[in-house]
């Protein structure tokens, strides 16, 4: 593998990690909920893509088949958003401020969702066919696949959208106020229950988009999300909890490190080495690369 292709693959891997971590940066970084079921929302997005593909292939003419993937991007977000809202109302809303309890409860939810997927779709993996406009690659000696280029574009759009939502809209200001000081936000007339519900839904929906993107590269099964949950938490913690710039930087570091070390060693050894390096770094700087700065009470 030449250096240009390796760097490109590293960037595309970082884009996948960033897509999966954006939702977790909201639910864990801002809401302080340890959502072990986050990976299952990735799975939900991937299976939603598969279902939309099946509907198009069986009920619509072949000439419009390629449109299925564009529809899937929106449907993956909507389905994961809706399920996230239901989960927040039924389970998460009772666990704010209880991080260990939220970890155990969402771990149980992840097992339930995995079993539900096996019951509905079976134990055998299913596959998504890339639309015609994403098949092939560009370049000569260095090959850049259209699928990975598309994933990078989707990542940039999602990251820009979340930044605009959080820092350039009234809703984003209310969301950040609720997460930073719930009591004060309530005093200012913000309906914190609605903000919690929508915020968790957005985080879940972003994981659904990540699943839709991942489905172009790998087979889909009930354990798809568990393959990304550890790396996703590492991205958020390494970058700094609650900071979008930290999530972006953390995804870049871990993605490029994974691809580089895989080239020199193997996939399993690379993941082990990256985990060790992250642990060592957090011993030196436990708040991550970009820590949230706040005033103390006596200032």
């Amino acid at each position: 593998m030449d250096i240009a292709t390796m760097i490109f693959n590293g960037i595309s891997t970082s884009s996948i990690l960033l897509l999966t971590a954006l939702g977790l940066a909201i639910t864990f970084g801002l809401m302080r909920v340890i959502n072990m079921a986050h990976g299952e929302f990735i799975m939900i997005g991937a299976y939603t893509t598969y279902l939309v593909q099946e509907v198009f292939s069986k009920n619509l003419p072949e000439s419009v088949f390629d449109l299925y993937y564009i529809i899937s991007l929106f449907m993956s977000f909507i389905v994961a958003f809706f399920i996230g809202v239901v989960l927040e109302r039924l389970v998460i809303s009772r666990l704010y401020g209880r991080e260990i309890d939220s970890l155990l409860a969402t771990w149980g939810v992840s097992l339930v969702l995995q079993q539900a997927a096996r019951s509905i779709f079976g134990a055998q993996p299913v596959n998504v066919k890339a639309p015609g406009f994403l098949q092939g690659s560009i370049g000569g000696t260095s090959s850049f696949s259209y699928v990975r280029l598309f994933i990078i574009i989707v990542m940039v759009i999602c990251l820009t959208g979340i930044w605009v939502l959080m820092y350039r809209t009234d809703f984003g200001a209310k969301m950040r106020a609720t997460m930073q000081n719930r009591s004060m936000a309530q005093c200012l007339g913000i309906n914190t229950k609605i903000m919690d519900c929508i915020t968790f839904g957005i985080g879940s929906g972003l994981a659904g988009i990540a699943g839709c993107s991942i489905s172009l590269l790998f087979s889909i099964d009930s354990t798809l999300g568990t393959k990304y949950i550890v790396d996703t938490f590492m991205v958020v913690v390494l970058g700094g909890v609650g900071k979008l710039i930290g999530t972006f930087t953390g995804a870049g570091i871990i993605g490029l490190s994974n691809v580089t070390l895989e080239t020199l060693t193997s996939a399993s050894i690379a993941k082990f080495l990256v985990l060790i390096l992250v642990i060592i770094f957090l011993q030196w700087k436990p708040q991550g690369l970009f820590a949230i700065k706040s005033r103390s009470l006596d200032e």
Side-chain angles (χ1 to χ4, degrees):
M1 182 186 297
D2 64 283
I3 295 177
T5 302
M6 184 178 70
I7 293 174
F8 173 74
N9 288 342
I11 293 173
S12 65
T13 300
S14 299
S15 298
I16 293 172
L17 287 176
L18 183 57
L19 280 173
T20 60
L22 273 177
L24 196 64
I26 294 175
T27 57
F28 177 54
L30 290 178
M31 302 180 74
R32 309 301 298 174
V33 173
I34 303 177
N35 181 16
M36 294 302 294
H38 186 76
E40 278 53 60
F41 287 99
I42 298 173
M43 175 196 70
I44 288 169
Y47 271 121
T48 299
T49 304
Y50 171 74
L51 288 176
V52 175
Q53 172 191 258
E54 291 300 291
V55 169
F56 267 70
S57 63
K58 294 179 180 178
N59 299 286
L60 294 173
E62 188 176 350
S63 59
V64 299
F65 175 78
D66 286 353
L67 292 176
Y68 93 87
Y69 192 74
I70 304 300
I71 302 299
S72 296
L73 282 170
F74 293 98
M75 289 302 300
S76 296
F77 179 87
I78 292 170
V79 172
F81 177 92
F82 175 76
I83 296 176
V85 167
V86 172
L87 176 61
E88 196 280 334
R89 286 291 84 201
L90 295 180
V91 179
I92 303 299
S93 61
R94 294 166 172 78
L95 300 174
Y96 289 121
R98 297 156 56 189
E99 295 183 6
I100 301 301
D101 290 345
S102 69
L103 184 152
L104 295 173
T106 54
W107 180 60
V109 170
S110 73
L111 297 179
V112 171
L113 291 174
Q114 286 182 35
Q115 184 57 50
R118 280 191 290 268
S119 299
I120 296 171
F121 299 100
Q124 296 300 316
V126 296
N127 294 290
V128 164
K129 180 182 178 182
F133 60 86
L134 292 181
Q135 294 180 9
S137 61
I138 59 174
T141 305
S142 302
S143 179
F144 307 136
S145 72
Y146 290 135
V147 166
R148 291 185 177 273
L149 282 171
F150 183 77
I151 291 173
I152 293 172
I153 293 171
V154 170
M155 176 274 293
V156 171
I157 293 173
C158 289
L159 181 63
T160 304
I162 291 300
W163 181 83
V164 170
L165 176 69
M166 289 182 60
Y167 298 102
R168 290 294 183 270
T169 67
D170 182 62
F171 175 85
K174 291 179 180 179
M175 180 177 72
R176 288 183 288 116
T178 300
M179 303 314 147
Q180 292 174 15
N181 193 324
R182 185 175 303 273
S183 299
M184 182 60 71
Q186 290 173 335
C187 292
L188 294 173
I190 298 173
N191 190 327
T192 55
K193 289 185 178 180
I194 292 179
M195 296 305 301
D196 289 336
C197 187
I198 296 176
T199 301
F200 192 88
I202 291 173
S204 302
L206 288 170
I209 293 177
C212 182
S213 300
I214 291 170
S215 67
L216 292 173
L217 299 174
F218 307 106
S219 297
I220 305 166
D221 61 23
S222 60
T223 62
L224 176 66
T226 60
K227 301 171 185 175
Y228 292 91
I229 191 66
V230 173
D231 284 346
T232 302
F233 269 105
M234 281 200 300
V235 166
V236 175
V237 174
L238 175 64
V241 174
K243 299 288 287 185
L244 281 183
I245 183 63
T247 304
F248 176 82
T249 306
I253 292 173
I254 291 178
L256 288 169
S257 299
N258 268 326
V259 171
T260 302
L261 291 173
E262 279 181 20
T263 304
L264 300 174
T265 57
S266 66
S268 56
I269 294 177
K271 286 187 176 296
F272 172 76
L273 291 175
V274 169
L275 177 60
I276 293 299
L277 291 174
V278 170
I279 291 173
I280 293 173
F281 175 81
L282 292 177
Q283 294 297 313
W284 168 61
K285 197 169 184 179
Q287 298 300 317
L289 291 168
F290 299 89
I292 295 178
K293 297 180 180 180
S294 60
R295 293 177 179 271
S296 60
L297 294 175
D298 56 352
E299 288 182 331

